[in-house]
Amino acid sequence: MVSFQSNLWSVSERQRDRRRHLCLSLPRWATDYLKRVDPGLARSGRPLVLWEKIKGGMRLAAVDATAAAANLTAGQNLSDARALVPGLEVREIDHGLLEQAFADFADWHSNASPIVAVHDAMSPYGDLVLDITGVSHLFGGEERMLVLVVGRLSKLGYRVDGAIADTVGAAWALAHFSPGRIVASDEIEEALAKLPVVALRLDEKQVAGLNQMGLKQIGQLYGRDRRALQARFGATLTLRLDQALGMVEERVTPRVPMAEFFVDRRFAEPIGYMDDVLMTARDLAIQLGLRLEAESLGAQSFHLMLYRVDHKVISLSINAARATRDPDHIAQLFVHRSERLAGEYDAGFGIDMIRLAASSVSEVQSTQLGAFEVHDGAADLDRLYDRIASRLGPLALTRSEFVNTHIPELSIRLEPVIARTADDPQARPDPDLVRPLRLLPAPEPVTVLAEVPDGPPMRMIWRRIAYRVLKASGPERIEAEWWRTGKSLEMLQPPSREDKRRDPRDDPKQATSTRQPKPAEEHVSKLEAFDPMTVVRDYYVIEDDGGRRFWIFRIGLYGAAEAPRWFLHGFFS
């Protein structure tokens, strides 16, 4: 086994110190990335430029170092660039690809800091911000950390500059216009004074206006009338200045969610075999479990991140049914999770760091094992659920949860067992209500005939098959839950006396209820849609001459403007 260095961090330890930020600037990210993806571009030695259409014309969007040395710049016309440099390697830029690749590239930097963000204030890719508060001592100090982070990217073929300061704005300005500097808290104002105003992350119009007034350096803005500056150049000017000087807090949004507890291990030589990864995961689970036990905590979510030497990250996540800190159980879940990778696992040129993080942390009291232990099997079931979910996926094992509603098809929902929620006591079904064992995925329309309009059904046609009804009970009315829809309640109007005296057979709209029905395929060829939250249903339990029992319901009333509709909803045993 190769030698390693192990580190243990927690959120509370970092938050006790003053915030420090390391900003990385990769001005030629687009061309440098394409050269790494396609080594042929680097071997050819030809200048590489990327173009895009701007206002109907093809203009340069990015140039590599060789093209820049030939006096080619972004924004230049493509035809002019080809005339100046005949041997250009020209490709169309794909901003979506570059943004996604840079986001993955940012995730890889979480091996240096738990908080990494893509700084997209000026460009969607090219700038990274690392919150290194309480982290730099692991690398031997801020200076050594800056040299290490910048150096490893330079070895990979990237043009990169970096700087460290208290504020994000100051670190960004120094990385772009005075790279390599490490500025203390009381030196920010002096360090920014001689930088150009564009270092405040202003737009071109603001920079041009300031230059026209002779305000070309940030230090020239100190002591100026803030109201006058804001009135002429907008509120963003004073905001950016205050953010850079630390008068206004500027927070970063980390790419990877902040883990509450995590441990990691760095290797002197990269590893590649999955067996070595799982062996390391077991060792890290022991360290993490001891840390959680010291604070009487457990976690439900665990994340194993494998950092490859080619700036890619492989992430494996598992979830437990209840909070745990058992190292053996956690390690075994990752063994099952690795089986789902099959042939997708690719260590590339090797893995130089592995991190195990815990989230969804909650309090877990220590239990005493012995003669007074009560073993009800719940813990064994939870472990079984965890093993099944880690091997087959979190949605492979679900449970039925009761929902507090009267609507039959909405009264039960499925949820993953490992992410189950507490049961609602008011949602438990009434044992006195007659309910079928099976419901159709959606109620299906049927044709029903009755002796009298409001009487029990005597015959039902469903899916072209006729059923003669021998017994029927009902109706049971289930009202609409109109209060959940936000709509006002609309009462159904009962039929008038004239409608009751009228023979339904004289009304062609009601003819299908008492005369020979239309062919059944006309009724079942399409599902008549209705809103389950706003309709009133009258349910009947019917039994045919074959002993089959059905649960059907009617929507609407006879004699109303719209003819009632019948649906089959479920089956009894």
Side-chain angles (χ1 to χ4, degrees), residues 230-262:
Q230 183 172 341
R232 182 160 186 174
F233 300 104
T236 56
L237 172 59
T238 55
L239 174 63
R240 291 302 191 190
L241 180 61
D242 291 342
Q243 288 177 339
L245 297 177
M247 299 178 183
V248 174
E249 183 181 7
E250 181 179 6
R251 297 183 179 181
V252 296
T253 303
R255 278 274 310 164
V256 180
M258 184 63 191
E260 298 170 79
F261 293 90
F262 58 90

Side-chain angles (χ1 to χ4, degrees), residues 501-551:
R501 288 195 296 266
R502 187 185 305 160
D503 189 348
R505 290 173 295 182
D506 297 335
D507 187 355
K509 294 183 180 180
Q510 307 293 338
T512 56
S513 299
T514 55
R515 299 179 183 176
Q516 183 65 27
K518 295 180 180 180
E521 58 269 13
E522 296 185 12
H523 297 270
V524 299
S525 59
K526 64 177 182 177
L527 179 62
E528 300 181 51
F530 63 89
D531 186 358
M533 303 298 293
T534 58
V535 298
V536 180
R537 315 181 197 182
D538 290 327
Y539 276 87
Y540 290 85
V541 179
I542 63 174
E543 181 178 336
D544 70 346
D545 52 2
R548 293 176 288 265
R549 301 176 66 199
F550 305 94
W551 204 40

Side-chain angles (χ1 to χ4, degrees), residues 195-371:
L195 299 184
V197 291
V198 69
L200 292 177
R201 298 170 292 173
L202 305 177
D203 57 37
E204 296 180 0
K205 185 177 179 179
Q206 290 174 314
V207 173
L210 289 171
N211 290 336
Q212 288 178 359
M213 292 182 59
L215 303 176
K216 298 182 179 181
Q217 295 180 341
I218 296 178
Q220 294 176 307
L221 300 179
Y222 299 162
R224 288 271 178 175
D225 187 354
R226 297 174 60 87
R227 293 184 178 180
L229 290 176
Q230 183 172 341
R232 182 160 186 174
F233 300 104
T236 56
L237 172 59
T238 55
L239 174 63
R240 291 302 191 190
L241 180 61
D242 291 342
Q243 288 177 339
L245 297 177
M247 299 178 183
V248 174
E249 183 181 7
E250 181 179 6
R251 297 183 179 181
V252 296
T253 303
R255 278 274 310 164
V256 180
M258 184 63 191
E260 298 170 79
F261 293 90
F262 58 90
V263 292
D264 56 33
R265 178 167 297 177
R266 303 173 187 272
F267 301 96
E269 295 292 336
I271 64 174
Y273 291 109
M274 178 56 73
D275 291 342
D276 294 337
V277 171
L278 295 177
M279 187 182 305
T280 305
R282 180 175 293 275
D283 293 341
L284 294 177
I286 295 174
Q287 297 181 43
L288 186 60
L290 293 175
R291 175 61 174 165
L292 293 173
E293 184 180 7
E295 302 193 23
S296 299
L297 297 174
Q300 284 189 270
S301 299
F302 298 90
H303 314 278
L304 189 67
M305 290 171 280
L306 316 178
Y307 294 88
R308 294 173 21 174
V309 296
D310 56 350
H311 70 265
K312 294 185 182 296
V313 181
I314 303 175
S315 180
L316 305 178
S317 299
I318 55 102
N319 295 300
R322 64 173 63 182
T324 181
R325 55 174 177 257
D326 184 358
D328 293 332
H329 183 52
I330 297 171
Q332 191 61 33
L333 292 182
F334 279 111
V335 172
H336 297 322
R337 177 65 180 87
S338 65
E339 295 175 357
R340 292 167 50 196
L341 292 176
E344 298 179 5
Y345 172 72
D346 180 15
F349 295 101
I351 298 168
D352 59 0
M353 175 178 162
I354 297 179
R355 172 174 296 167
L356 177 61
S359 58
S360 301
V361 177
S362 60
E363 185 176 355
V364 175
Q365 297 296 336
S366 300
T367 57
Q368 180 179 358
L369 303 179

Side-chain angles (χ1 to χ4, degrees), residues 64-81:
D64 67 353
T66 307
N71 296 325
L72 298 184
T73 59
Q76 194 172 6
N77 193 289
L78 179 59
S79 58
D80 295 340

